[in-house]
Amino acid sequence: MTALSILDLAPIVEGSDVAGALAASTRLARLADEAGYRRLWYAEHHNTDALASSATALLIANAAANTSRLRVGSGGIMLPNHAPLAVAEAFGTLANLYGDRIDLGLGRAPGTDPRTAALLRRGARDDGEAAFAANIRLLAWFFGEQEDDAESVQLSQGVHAAVARGTNVPLWVLGSSTAGAAIAGQLGLPYAAASHFAPFQLSEAIWTYRQMFNPSAPTAQISEPYVMAGANLMVAPTREEAEFLFTTHQQMFVAIRRGTRGPLRPPVHAMDWAPHEEQMATSALRFSAVGTPGEAAEFLRVFAASYGIDEIILTGYAHDPAMRERSYRLMAEEWAKDSSPDAAAVG
């Protein structure tokens, strides 16, 4: 049975604030743990009034402290914004605090606009694929035994990260194109596709990843390819209610494209969008499980089977956090009906 996980961006809803968003994220973490989701990830974003997921490592620590079984991690840390040593020290500390429940998903995009990225980086940094792969190799070394050899000394300049040593934090490569998929494959790491908002190269990316997968790479952490793909979710007792609630998600998507991004708006009975905006949103959000629990589960089963996906990571927005929690709870209950006794409830 394909595993289910959750991607949380700590959305800020209209009429509430950051504290409310973080409290809702904490409740969602507890729900995910109790309902049997495999993992909960947070995605790094900056300079936005819509999301409170900028300090990703702190959200992971909070979620890990409020759960007992759930894997918690980043989906992802945008590596160009951070020095690998700082990432290794943060996630090594998390692993020492919470044991083998911490994941480190790594992305190459900035997760923000160019001006904000410049402030985060405080200087020039290479965003190229070669630099991204080299930084991942350095992180893998930091999380290992940190034995000095020619390559590691060149990458680390002889610097060690004591809090990360021997933690073996699992690394994932995130991507929305064949470039990220190729890096994941070459490094022998699991691949997470951002198909919940960038579905256009999913088939090609998964094919590339599987073709390029090298289990003998020095950085390899798995023996065979493993693909996680993103999908959007809104589940309700009726399809009509689910579609109504999903308009909050659609409004957010359109607002981003218009450059008017703000807190999440209440659902509406009729979307106010131009024909080209509707077409763009429908295409970009094509992997969306919206409907009753049974309808959503069937959509996700077909999605997984069609693309050879090992795990689906779900993201969902609602103006009322209680409706978001209900959606994930209903999905977990429905998915568990087809799970074997030997598997976790949803993976």
PDB file of all heavy atoms in Angstrom, residues 79-80 84 108 125-138 155 183:
ATOM      1  N   LEU A  79      18.639  24.793  -0.044  1.00  0.00           N
ATOM      2  CA  LEU A  79      20.060  24.764   0.273  1.00  0.00           C
ATOM      3  C   LEU A  79      20.838  26.016  -0.150  1.00  0.00           C
ATOM      4  O   LEU A  79      21.774  26.417   0.564  1.00  0.00           O
ATOM      5  CB  LEU A  79      20.695  23.501  -0.325  1.00  0.00           C
ATOM      6  CG  LEU A  79      22.040  23.062   0.255  1.00  0.00           C
ATOM      7  CD1 LEU A  79      22.013  23.037   1.773  1.00  0.00           C
ATOM      8  CD2 LEU A  79      22.417  21.700  -0.293  1.00  0.00           C
ATOM      9  N   PRO A  80      20.488  26.684  -1.267  1.00  0.00           N
ATOM     10  CA  PRO A  80      21.233  27.903  -1.590  1.00  0.00           C
ATOM     11  C   PRO A  80      21.120  28.997  -0.526  1.00  0.00           C
ATOM     12  O   PRO A  80      21.958  29.904  -0.490  1.00  0.00           O
ATOM     13  CB  PRO A  80      20.597  28.356  -2.913  1.00  0.00           C
ATOM     14  CG  PRO A  80      20.081  27.107  -3.524  1.00  0.00           C
ATOM     15  CD  PRO A  80      19.582  26.294  -2.364  1.00  0.00           C
ATOM     16  N   PRO A  84      25.989  24.681   4.295  1.00  0.00           N
ATOM     17  CA  PRO A  84      25.822  23.275   4.676  1.00  0.00           C
ATOM     18  C   PRO A  84      26.217  22.987   6.118  1.00  0.00           C
ATOM     19  O   PRO A  84      25.589  22.166   6.786  1.00  0.00           O
ATOM     20  CB  PRO A  84      26.713  22.536   3.678  1.00  0.00           C
ATOM     21  CG  PRO A  84      26.724  23.420   2.469  1.00  0.00           C
ATOM     22  CD  PRO A  84      26.702  24.822   3.007  1.00  0.00           C
ATOM     23  N   ARG A 108      16.752  23.144  -4.444  1.00  0.00           N
ATOM     24  CA  ARG A 108      17.707  24.073  -5.073  1.00  0.00           C
ATOM     25  C   ARG A 108      17.104  25.439  -5.353  1.00  0.00           C
ATOM     26  O   ARG A 108      17.814  26.408  -5.634  1.00  0.00           O
ATOM     27  CB  ARG A 108      18.228  23.449  -6.379  1.00  0.00           C
ATOM     28  CG  ARG A 108      19.406  24.167  -6.999  1.00  0.00           C
ATOM     29  CD  ARG A 108      20.103  23.280  -8.024  1.00  0.00           C
ATOM     30  NE  ARG A 108      19.247  22.906  -9.120  1.00  0.00           N
ATOM     31  CZ  ARG A 108      19.139  23.591 -10.268  1.00  0.00           C
ATOM     32  NH1 ARG A 108      19.856  24.691 -10.442  1.00  0.00           N
ATOM     33  NH2 ARG A 108      18.350  23.172 -11.229  1.00  0.00           N
ATOM     34  N   ARG A 125      26.249  33.246  -4.075  1.00  0.00           N
ATOM     35  CA  ARG A 125      26.329  31.805  -3.865  1.00  0.00           C
ATOM     36  C   ARG A 125      25.903  31.120  -5.156  1.00  0.00           C
ATOM     37  O   ARG A 125      24.956  31.538  -5.803  1.00  0.00           O
ATOM     38  CB  ARG A 125      25.432  31.386  -2.700  1.00  0.00           C
ATOM     39  CG  ARG A 125      25.644  29.937  -2.297  1.00  0.00           C
ATOM     40  CD  ARG A 125      24.994  29.659  -0.963  1.00  0.00           C
ATOM     41  NE  ARG A 125      25.642  30.423   0.099  1.00  0.00           N
ATOM     42  CZ  ARG A 125      25.103  30.636   1.295  1.00  0.00           C
ATOM     43  NH1 ARG A 125      23.902  30.179   1.567  1.00  0.00           N
ATOM     44  NH2 ARG A 125      25.759  31.315   2.199  1.00  0.00           N
ATOM     45  N   ASP A 126      26.595  30.071  -5.494  1.00  0.00           N
ATOM     46  CA  ASP A 126      26.338  29.368  -6.747  1.00  0.00           C
ATOM     47  C   ASP A 126      25.094  28.509  -6.614  1.00  0.00           C
ATOM     48  O   ASP A 126      25.017  27.636  -5.746  1.00  0.00           O
ATOM     49  CB  ASP A 126      27.550  28.499  -7.086  1.00  0.00           C
ATOM     50  CG  ASP A 126      27.452  27.886  -8.476  1.00  0.00           C
ATOM     51  OD1 ASP A 126      26.377  28.004  -9.098  1.00  0.00           O
ATOM     52  OD2 ASP A 126      28.443  27.289  -8.919  1.00  0.00           O
ATOM     53  N   ASP A 127      24.087  28.768  -7.475  1.00  0.00           N
ATOM     54  CA  ASP A 127      22.852  27.997  -7.456  1.00  0.00           C
ATOM     55  C   ASP A 127      22.881  26.841  -8.447  1.00  0.00           C
ATOM     56  O   ASP A 127      21.877  26.168  -8.642  1.00  0.00           O
ATOM     57  CB  ASP A 127      21.655  28.897  -7.813  1.00  0.00           C
ATOM     58  CG  ASP A 127      21.347  29.890  -6.719  1.00  0.00           C
ATOM     59  OD1 ASP A 127      21.939  29.775  -5.633  1.00  0.00           O
ATOM     60  OD2 ASP A 127      20.525  30.789  -6.950  1.00  0.00           O
ATOM     61  N   GLY A 128      23.995  26.599  -9.093  1.00  0.00           N
ATOM     62  CA  GLY A 128      24.052  25.599 -10.148  1.00  0.00           C
ATOM     63  C   GLY A 128      23.915  24.184  -9.631  1.00  0.00           C
ATOM     64  O   GLY A 128      24.048  23.900  -8.431  1.00  0.00           O
ATOM     65  N   GLU A 129      23.666  23.275 -10.566  1.00  0.00           N
ATOM     66  CA  GLU A 129      23.451  21.872 -10.213  1.00  0.00           C
ATOM     67  C   GLU A 129      24.700  21.251  -9.604  1.00  0.00           C
ATOM     68  O   GLU A 129      24.609  20.454  -8.652  1.00  0.00           O
ATOM     69  CB  GLU A 129      23.022  21.099 -11.464  1.00  0.00           C
ATOM     70  CG  GLU A 129      21.673  21.541 -11.999  1.00  0.00           C
ATOM     71  CD  GLU A 129      21.378  20.990 -13.381  1.00  0.00           C
ATOM     72  OE1 GLU A 129      22.036  19.998 -13.767  1.00  0.00           O
ATOM     73  OE2 GLU A 129      20.515  21.545 -14.075  1.00  0.00           O
ATOM     74  N   ALA A 130      25.872  21.610 -10.121  1.00  0.00           N
ATOM     75  CA  ALA A 130      27.114  21.037  -9.597  1.00  0.00           C
ATOM     76  C   ALA A 130      27.333  21.461  -8.150  1.00  0.00           C
ATOM     77  O   ALA A 130      27.730  20.641  -7.301  1.00  0.00           O
ATOM     78  CB  ALA A 130      28.293  21.456 -10.464  1.00  0.00           C
ATOM     79  N   ALA A 131      27.078  22.728  -7.843  1.00  0.00           N
ATOM     80  CA  ALA A 131      27.245  23.213  -6.473  1.00  0.00           C
ATOM     81  C   ALA A 131      26.234  22.553  -5.541  1.00  0.00           C
ATOM     82  O   ALA A 131      26.562  22.208  -4.396  1.00  0.00           O
ATOM     83  CB  ALA A 131      27.084  24.730  -6.442  1.00  0.00           C
ATOM     84  N   PHE A 132      25.009  22.375  -6.015  1.00  0.00           N
ATOM     85  CA  PHE A 132      23.973  21.721  -5.214  1.00  0.00           C
ATOM     86  C   PHE A 132      24.395  20.296  -4.866  1.00  0.00           C
ATOM     87  O   PHE A 132      24.328  19.869  -3.700  1.00  0.00           O
ATOM     88  CB  PHE A 132      22.665  21.720  -6.011  1.00  0.00           C
ATOM     89  CG  PHE A 132      21.482  21.120  -5.295  1.00  0.00           C
ATOM     90  CD1 PHE A 132      21.097  21.565  -4.045  1.00  0.00           C
ATOM     91  CD2 PHE A 132      20.741  20.114  -5.900  1.00  0.00           C
ATOM     92  CE1 PHE A 132      19.990  21.020  -3.392  1.00  0.00           C
ATOM     93  CE2 PHE A 132      19.640  19.559  -5.264  1.00  0.00           C
ATOM     94  CZ  PHE A 132      19.265  20.018  -4.013  1.00  0.00           C
ATOM     95  N   ALA A 133      24.855  19.553  -5.851  1.00  0.00           N
ATOM     96  CA  ALA A 133      25.298  18.172  -5.617  1.00  0.00           C
ATOM     97  C   ALA A 133      26.495  18.125  -4.680  1.00  0.00           C
ATOM     98  O   ALA A 133      26.578  17.260  -3.794  1.00  0.00           O
ATOM     99  CB  ALA A 133      25.631  17.508  -6.949  1.00  0.00           C
ATOM    100  N   ALA A 134      27.437  19.059  -4.840  1.00  0.00           N
ATOM    101  CA  ALA A 134      28.606  19.095  -3.962  1.00  0.00           C
ATOM    102  C   ALA A 134      28.207  19.377  -2.519  1.00  0.00           C
ATOM    103  O   ALA A 134      28.757  18.784  -1.578  1.00  0.00           O
ATOM    104  CB  ALA A 134      29.602  20.147  -4.460  1.00  0.00           C
ATOM    105  N   ASN A 135      27.249  20.273  -2.324  1.00  0.00           N
ATOM    106  CA  ASN A 135      26.789  20.580  -0.973  1.00  0.00           C
ATOM    107  C   ASN A 135      26.075  19.388  -0.337  1.00  0.00           C
ATOM    108  O   ASN A 135      26.177  19.165   0.876  1.00  0.00           O
ATOM    109  CB  ASN A 135      25.872  21.794  -0.994  1.00  0.00           C
ATOM    110  CG  ASN A 135      26.636  23.095  -1.159  1.00  0.00           C
ATOM    111  OD1 ASN A 135      27.802  23.191  -0.766  1.00  0.00           O
ATOM    112  ND2 ASN A 135      26.002  24.098  -1.741  1.00  0.00           N
ATOM    113  N   ILE A 136      25.367  18.619  -1.143  1.00  0.00           N
ATOM    114  CA  ILE A 136      24.723  17.408  -0.613  1.00  0.00           C
ATOM    115  C   ILE A 136      25.788  16.386  -0.211  1.00  0.00           C
ATOM    116  O   ILE A 136      25.670  15.735   0.836  1.00  0.00           O
ATOM    117  CB  ILE A 136      23.742  16.813  -1.633  1.00  0.00           C
ATOM    118  CG1 ILE A 136      22.576  17.781  -1.871  1.00  0.00           C
ATOM    119  CG2 ILE A 136      23.206  15.464  -1.150  1.00  0.00           C
ATOM    120  CD1 ILE A 136      21.614  17.345  -2.955  1.00  0.00           C
ATOM    121  N   ARG A 137      26.822  16.254  -1.025  1.00  0.00           N
ATOM    122  CA  ARG A 137      27.918  15.346  -0.657  1.00  0.00           C
ATOM    123  C   ARG A 137      28.563  15.779   0.655  1.00  0.00           C
ATOM    124  O   ARG A 137      28.901  14.945   1.511  1.00  0.00           O
ATOM    125  CB  ARG A 137      28.970  15.291  -1.775  1.00  0.00           C
ATOM    126  CG  ARG A 137      28.486  14.601  -3.044  1.00  0.00           C
ATOM    127  CD  ARG A 137      29.651  14.201  -3.934  1.00  0.00           C
ATOM    128  NE  ARG A 137      30.455  15.331  -4.354  1.00  0.00           N
ATOM    129  CZ  ARG A 137      30.201  16.071  -5.432  1.00  0.00           C
ATOM    130  NH1 ARG A 137      29.147  15.795  -6.187  1.00  0.00           N
ATOM    131  NH2 ARG A 137      30.986  17.079  -5.758  1.00  0.00           N
ATOM    132  N   LEU A 138      28.720  17.086   0.837  1.00  0.00           N
ATOM    133  CA  LEU A 138      29.297  17.595   2.078  1.00  0.00           C
ATOM    134  C   LEU A 138      28.380  17.296   3.267  1.00  0.00           C
ATOM    135  O   LEU A 138      28.855  16.872   4.333  1.00  0.00           O
ATOM    136  CB  LEU A 138      29.543  19.097   1.964  1.00  0.00           C
ATOM    137  CG  LEU A 138      30.093  19.800   3.210  1.00  0.00           C
ATOM    138  CD1 LEU A 138      31.399  19.163   3.669  1.00  0.00           C
ATOM    139  CD2 LEU A 138      30.294  21.292   2.919  1.00  0.00           C
ATOM    140  N   LEU A 155      36.043  19.673   0.344  1.00  0.00           N
ATOM    141  CA  LEU A 155      34.690  20.198   0.540  1.00  0.00           C
ATOM    142  C   LEU A 155      34.545  20.921   1.871  1.00  0.00           C
ATOM    143  O   LEU A 155      33.924  21.985   1.951  1.00  0.00           O
ATOM    144  CB  LEU A 155      33.675  19.055   0.462  1.00  0.00           C
ATOM    145  CG  LEU A 155      33.417  18.433  -0.904  1.00  0.00           C
ATOM    146  CD1 LEU A 155      32.570  17.171  -0.760  1.00  0.00           C
ATOM    147  CD2 LEU A 155      32.724  19.425  -1.829  1.00  0.00           C
ATOM    148  N   ILE A 183      20.016  14.460 -10.212  1.00  0.00           N
ATOM    149  CA  ILE A 183      20.920  14.580  -9.068  1.00  0.00           C
ATOM    150  C   ILE A 183      20.580  13.537  -8.017  1.00  0.00           C
ATOM    151  O   ILE A 183      21.459  12.865  -7.466  1.00  0.00           O
ATOM    152  CB  ILE A 183      20.852  16.003  -8.485  1.00  0.00           C
ATOM    153  CG1 ILE A 183      21.452  17.003  -9.473  1.00  0.00           C
ATOM    154  CG2 ILE A 183      21.576  16.078  -7.142  1.00  0.00           C
ATOM    155  CD1 ILE A 183      21.252  18.457  -9.084  1.00  0.00           C
TER     156      ILE A 183
END
